[in-house]
Amino acid sequence: MNPVIESLKGKLVVSVQAYPGEPLRTPEIMASMSRACELGGAAAIRCQGLSDIAAIKGRVEIPVIGLWKDGHEGVYITPTLRHARACIAAGADIVAVDATDRPRPDGRLLEDTVRPLREEGVLLMADCMTIEDIRRAVELGFDLVSTTLSHDKPAIDTTLDEGPDLPLLRRATAEFPGFPIICEGHVHTPAEARAAIDAGAWAVVVGTAITHPTSLTSWFKAAIDA
């Protein structure tokens, strides 16, 4: 197994991203926040956008999982081969790619994107929505898979609350024991992060609950207003 992937086992990955129009959305701020997360014990940083990837890579010593969001609907997380190669050029150690079977903007199949990247030695993270996505990603040779898009399912599992998709995580880890399966999405508390590790996650990605003060403030305000 690649040493970068091995280094994430049992660890915390922090997603450092800001939404368009927010005051924190500058590469320098994202890089400073990433360094702060590294000092707090993050084993890797997940970030989006070429400028942010380059800035963060220049400030931290831990691996950077890069992606490029292009658009707002359908496949927009590193949707094409061009986007993935740009992330590598910007400094990403691992590239996260939408690994669903939805139509891609360049008309290519997922395997058409993955094959040349694997030949080039690029480490790839599959952002998945369903167990079928995870199976496909493992078969295609992704280095690690993630439950990133689970909560975006059109008919979401009614057993889910606002926490991480532990049922999908448990199913995937049971089906692919020992494979690096990442829990990402709706991990809002330390207890939920610990529960994901206990459910078999290789690593846990936490974003909003650590790096998005606007959301954190709104949670506290809502509790007080209630």
Side-chain angles (χ1 to χ4, degrees):
M1 181 178 292
N2 186 283
V4 174
I5 305 299
E6 181 66 33
S7 72
L8 303 181
K9 187 173 184 180
K11 301 294 180 60
L12 170 68
V13 176
V14 178
S15 179
V16 181
Q17 301 181 43
Y19 300 112
E22 292 186 335
L24 300 185
R25 192 179 170 91
T26 69
E28 176 57 30
I29 290 175
M30 293 292 96
S32 295
M33 188 174 289
S34 297
R35 174 58 178 153
C37 292
E38 180 181 26
L39 292 174
I45 299 295
R46 177 175 161 116
C47 59
Q48 92 80 28
L50 305 183
S51 296
D52 284 9
I53 292 170
I56 291 168
K57 185 62 180 176
R59 290 289 300 276
V60 303
E61 297 181 1
I62 53 180
V64 172
I65 302 170
L67 57 118
W68 179 356
K69 291 181 179 178
D70 192 356
H72 305 282
E73 297 180 351
V75 176
Y76 62 89
I77 297 177
T78 322
T80 71
L81 181 60
R82 175 178 67 88
H83 290 83
R85 284 176 169 155
C87 290
I88 289 297
D93 300 290
I94 301 170
V95 177
V97 176
D98 182 309
T100 66
D101 63 353
R102 296 175 294 181
R104 312 182 83 77
D106 61 357
R108 293 171 177 251
L109 297 175
L110 176 62
E111 47 263 43
D112 296 329
T113 299
V114 172
R115 187 183 309 109
L117 293 172
R118 289 192 62 210
E119 292 173 353
E120 294 163 19
V122 175
L123 295 177
L124 294 171
M125 176 176 182
D127 286 356
C128 299
M129 185 181 295
T130 66
I131 189 64
E132 289 77 20
D133 294 338
I134 292 173
R135 290 168 181 154
R136 184 185 313 108
V138 172
E139 182 178 353
L140 289 176
F142 276 86
D143 298 279
L144 61 168
V145 301
S146 175
T147 61
T148 310
L149 300 172
S150 168
H151 286 268
D152 294 341
K153 289 193 292 286
I156 196 164
D157 187 341
T158 56
T159 63
L160 290 179
D161 55 19
E162 286 303 304
D165 192 345
L166 296 183
L168 175 60
L169 176 64
R170 292 190 182 99
R171 185 174 182 184
T173 55
E175 195 164 324
F176 301 102
F179 192 88
I181 298 173
I182 310 299
C183 179
E184 180 175 5
H186 293 229
V187 184
H188 293 156
T189 69
E192 289 176 343
R194 181 67 247 179
I197 292 294
D198 291 341
W202 187 268
V204 180
V205 177
V206 180
T208 300
I210 294 176
T211 62
H212 198 248
T214 301
S215 293
L216 290 169
T217 302
S218 71
W219 296 350
F220 281 89
K221 180 181 181 298
I224 290 173
D225 290 346

